[in-house]
Amino acid sequence: SGPWRIYRVPAKGKRTVILDSDREEVRALVQDAKGSLYAALVGLRSGGAGGPKTAASGSAADADDAEDILGEPSPTETRRWNAGAKSSPKKHQVVRIDPDGFVFPIWDGDDTPFALAAADSEAVLGLGGGKARLLGMSGPEFSKSLIFQGKEEEVVAVLPMDPGGWSVITSHGSAVY
């Protein structure tokens, strides 16, 4: 399988690679009110150590033969991986990508992430792996808390509700909470 990338694609201008992942799939992507992105990365490619790959702008790792919709070449630029971040040997990972381009791992584990949502200062992660769970991640250190656990096998969608809380859809014994 090819590279799993997340691009920033402005209405006009050149696209930018903001994450070049060594995972098998980017499963979910959401943006919070402050402009940070949260990405659920699933599976490790064979030989992968975990965590996003980085490369200097314009290097072979950034090269992309794809052309934009008008047929013009679109150069790419990879953003910065937080120098203090550790790669994860865990199978799955969630990262926060700040507007300035820094990438921070905020969760890793063996349960499969299926859904992400963000509201105010909290991000939530819908997990599967035998028990449907909703994990809250908040605060500067992204403290984790179990918000919901169902009898179903996985959380496949989650949306913020007004004036607070979450709407959750599960599968394999489907339910809406």
Side-chain angles (χ1 to χ4, degrees):
S1 60
W4 291 94
R5 293 181 176 149
I6 298 172
Y7 291 92
R8 177 166 283 124
V9 183
K12 293 183 180 184
K14 306 215 186 284
R15 71 176 179 220
T16 302
V17 174
I18 56 175
L19 183 74
D20 191 0
S21 175
D22 66 349
R23 302 299 169 137
E24 291 177 359
E25 179 180 343
V26 178
R27 172 76 45 93
L29 181 67
V30 297
Q31 185 174 26
D32 69 14
K34 295 179 182 175
S36 292
L37 296 173
Y38 297 85
L41 312 175
V42 177
L44 279 174
R45 289 189 203 162
S46 58
K53 299 291 185 192
T54 58
S57 180
S59 73
D62 285 334
D64 190 271
D65 294 331
E67 295 181 350
D68 68 13
I69 198 163
L70 300 175
E72 299 170 16
S74 298
T76 61
E77 173 189 340
T78 298
R79 293 296 191 160
R80 302 164 290 210
W81 172 248
N82 178 33
K86 301 281 189 242
S87 291
S88 171
K90 296 283 188 177
K91 190 167 184 182
H92 311 297
Q93 188 173 44
V94 173
V95 297
R96 183 185 78 211
I97 306 165
D98 286 344
D100 64 3
F102 281 101
V103 179
F104 298 88
I106 60 172
W107 176 87
D108 62 0
D110 293 319
D111 291 334
T112 304
F114 283 93
L116 276 172
D120 299 324
S121 61
E122 182 176 43
V124 295
L125 173 62
L127 295 168
K131 291 271 187 193
R133 290 182 306 283
L134 190 63
L135 184 67
M137 300 174 286
S138 61
E141 300 297 319
F142 283 91
S143 301
K144 293 9 168 230
S145 63
L146 183 64
I147 296 173
F148 165 83
Q149 182 167 316
K151 296 178 278 185
E152 303 80 22
E153 290 187 23
E154 55 208 31
V155 171
V156 294
V158 59
L159 293 171
M161 294 174 52
D162 267 344
W166 303 95
S167 189
V168 176
I169 298 175
T170 62
S171 71
H172 297 2
S174 299
V176 177
Y177 295 94

